[in-house]
Amino acid sequence: MSDPEQPGATVAGQGNTTGKARRRESFTGRGAFLIAAIGSAVGLGNIWRFPYVAYSNGGGAFIVPYLIALLTAGIPLLFLDYAIGHKFRGSPPMALRRLNKHTEVIGWWQTLICWVIVVYYAVIIAWAIRYVGFSVTKAWGDDPEGFLTGSFLHVAGNVDVEFHFVPGVSWPLLLLWIVVLAIMATGVEKGITRASWVFMPILAVMFIALVIVALTLDGASTGLDALFTPSWDALGNYQVWMAAYGQIFFSLSVGFGIMVTYASYLKPKSDLTGSGLVVGFANSSFEILSGLGVFAALGFMATASGKPVSEVAGSGIGLAFIAFPKIISEAGTVGSVMGVLFFVSLVFAGITSMISLLEVVVAAFREKTGMHRVAATWVIGGVTAVASIILFPTTTGLNLLDVTDHFINNIGIVGVSLVACLVVTWVLRKLPVLRDHLNEYSSFKVNTVWMTLVGVVAPLVLAGLWITEILTVFHEGYGGMPDNFVALFGWGMSALVVVMAVVLSLIPWPNRSAIHHELTHEEELAREHARVSQEGALS
């Protein structure tokens, strides 16, 4: 008889603990998985982060460490996430508990990080929704920066948390949450898959159109020269290599638990490594495309204003909501077209990534509580939406977003990924099991090279990123913000996520939870073999 607290102990042919076995939700096929996984990986960071990181770290020469980082850390860690999710059939908490009951806490750490990100990520999409309309009227006039922080966001002069709401941000944020929760409530096949099939092709077409328009502008070649002219000396700087690994790590969404969750929805005999290669190279291709479009536009702006590209280039919120509006204004009639293409691209890229982040949270709580998907989506998703709507469309939302984003990405995600690699590799020594699982069904086989990259190279890189960031913020603070604000919403939030992960992992899995009802990978295979045998006998 299986121990209710050890549901992973059930084996093929023996059923689960209750006898009410059911298959896990699944993607309709490999294509559905690929479009959803690419939609998750291609997000805001591809558009507004990669071009500037490449430009400021050696230009064309940056492609060398970037590709090496992709092949030695990004794709190997992607394979690790796929193997855990596919073999142990669950979101991070359930999959990691099936791996070993003591590692459930790592899964909740990843889940809570996704929760924090999606709470603030949504408000950036809401800004982009408003900027689609602003692009048509060029509502920012001659001062895009003053418009963003003043007329639009009404940013308070003090760095604190206040609940003075900005209606112009609140209503698109509310609308966004209703749409996303409606998509999530319809499930993996009808919701996530169909949304990805709609949004991703439109995103690709619109962004390619944006790049074509940008390349026709005067001065576009100046921007491309600035981006791609190689500075080979940069290859001797270790910070350039760390920047390349950081870009690949964040861009591919490894370590978030997203790919663990999505891989758990694959059918039992899916090609895992082949899919990982497609997702990895598709994501990098979109980043190169973003570099072309963004720097062609920046070259035009530099030429029009008589300034060097270095003075107009930037990344993140500044690039999207200050620099790009300036370009739109300078470009005349075609500027409005560029603006609509750019901000609609941001909205679609953001929504597909937001769905993947929220799916980790909804799946984790649904599995642990045994709630139906629809109820879990509206309850868990609703709580997340309320937190987002209360905290971020306010006059102090921008500062809160800034510090939260920095700590959760640079300390939270890097920390949990480092711990996961070390525990799986060196404490539990499960890499051979995961390697064998990958090789059993995949077209591209992995061997000791993959195990070395995941167990040695990736932890060394992650440790370097993590320790460097902690020491820097500890000694220098962050963004010139007050120490108490950074302590509360930076260090405090990071610590609270870990504490909550421990608490959630200590809560027993009730009998109605998915871990007692959903088939394991071995049970699904056994059922599939039995069905095939029965059909063969009948024929």
Side-chain angles (χ1 to χ4, degrees), residues 370-396:
M371 294 174 70
H372 187 271
R373 168 174 279 279
V374 175
T377 299
W378 290 107
V379 172
I380 303 302
V383 170
T384 310
V386 169
S388 177
I389 293 169
I390 288 177
L391 290 173
F392 290 98
T394 64
T395 54
T396 53

Side-chain angles (χ1 to χ4, degrees), residues 243-469:
Y245 277 90
Q247 175 63 29
I248 285 293
F249 181 74
F250 294 123
S251 178
L252 278 179
S253 302
V254 291
F256 290 67
I258 295 172
M259 294 306 162
V260 172
T261 306
Y262 273 13
S264 74
Y265 297 137
L266 277 166
K267 295 187 184 301
K269 295 183 179 179
S270 299
D271 182 348
L272 299 176
T273 57
S275 300
L277 292 174
V278 172
V279 172
F281 286 110
N283 177 68
S284 294
S285 299
F286 192 89
E287 291 197 317
I288 299 296
L289 187 68
S290 299
L292 289 173
V294 169
F295 267 78
L298 290 173
F300 159 74
M301 182 174 163
T303 302
S305 60
K307 297 179 180 178
V309 173
S310 59
E311 290 190 18
V312 298
S315 66
I317 291 172
L319 171 70
F321 297 101
I322 297 175
F324 238 86
K326 289 180 181 176
I327 295 169
I328 293 166
S329 294
E330 292 282 355
T333 306
V334 74
S336 295
V337 176
M338 288 182 62
V340 171
L341 292 172
F342 179 75
F343 288 110
V344 172
S345 296
L346 279 187
V347 171
F348 285 175
I351 287 178
T352 50
S353 295
M354 178 180 170
I355 287 172
S356 67
L357 287 163
L358 188 59
E359 175 60 20
V360 176
V361 182
V362 169
F365 281 93
R366 178 173 59 83
E367 289 163 2
K368 182 120 189 182
T369 61
M371 294 174 70
H372 187 271
R373 168 174 279 279
V374 175
T377 299
W378 290 107
V379 172
I380 303 302
V383 170
T384 310
V386 169
S388 177
I389 293 169
I390 288 177
L391 290 173
F392 290 98
T394 64
T395 54
T396 53
L398 181 60
N399 290 325
L400 183 58
L401 185 158
D402 189 10
V403 71
T404 305
D405 176 64
H406 187 84
F407 273 79
I408 208 70
N409 275 294
N410 295 285
I411 294 178
I413 293 173
V414 177
V416 71
S417 300
L418 174 61
V419 170
C421 282
L422 293 176
V423 169
V424 171
T425 304
W426 299 106
V427 179
L428 302 178
R429 297 186 179 277
K430 291 290 187 180
L431 279 188
V433 175
L434 298 172
R435 175 203 58 199
D436 293 344
H437 183 79
L438 287 170
N439 288 340
E440 189 167 1
Y441 308 106
S442 299
S443 55
F444 178 82
K445 307 299 181 186
V446 296
N447 49 32
T448 52
V449 173
W450 173 74
M451 294 171 64
T452 303
L453 293 173
V454 171
V456 179
V457 175
L460 287 174
V461 172
L462 291 168
L465 288 169
W466 201 41
I467 293 171
T468 301
E469 182 61 32

Side-chain angles (χ1 to χ4, degrees), residues 78-251:
L78 201 59
F79 289 172
L80 177 67
D81 280 356
Y82 284 3
I84 292 173
H86 188 252
K87 180 171 179 59
F88 297 103
R89 313 296 283 171
S91 65
M94 190 162 94
L96 286 168
R97 183 175 179 86
R98 281 176 161 172
L99 175 71
N100 184 288
K101 68 178 182 179
H102 298 297
T103 52
E104 181 185 339
V105 62
I106 299 174
W108 283 113
W109 191 358
Q110 292 177 323
T111 301
L112 292 173
I113 282 174
C114 287
W115 187 84
V116 173
I117 293 175
V118 79
V119 165
Y120 69 76
Y121 195 84
V123 80
I124 303 173
I125 304 172
W127 297 351
I129 292 173
R130 289 302 311 277
Y131 267 69
V132 174
F134 293 159
S135 298
V136 177
T137 62
K138 299 176 183 173
W140 45 75
D142 298 327
D143 185 13
E145 184 172 2
F147 176 81
L148 174 67
T149 58
S151 304
F152 181 49
L153 297 181
H154 300 284
V155 176
N158 58 313
V159 180
D160 203 345
V161 175
E162 298 175 351
F163 296 99
H164 299 151
F165 290 93
V166 180
V169 181
S170 300
W171 69 259
L173 182 59
L174 176 62
L175 178 64
L176 172 68
W177 273 109
I178 292 172
V179 170
V180 168
L181 292 183
I183 292 171
M184 301 283 299
T186 53
V188 173
E189 181 181 343
K190 295 181 179 178
I192 296 173
T193 302
R194 289 183 181 178
S196 300
W197 277 118
V198 171
F199 291 142
M200 290 309 295
I202 296 176
L203 169 63
V205 170
M206 296 194 74
F207 206 82
I208 289 172
L210 171 65
V211 171
I212 292 172
V213 172
L215 290 173
T216 63
L217 297 173
D218 292 336
S221 60
T222 303
L224 297 182
D225 286 344
L227 175 60
F228 290 114
T229 299
S231 175
W232 298 112
D233 293 343
L235 298 183
N237 185 345
Y238 81 95
Q239 291 180 328
V240 171
W241 289 84
M242 296 300 279
Y245 277 90
Q247 175 63 29
I248 285 293
F249 181 74
F250 294 123
S251 178

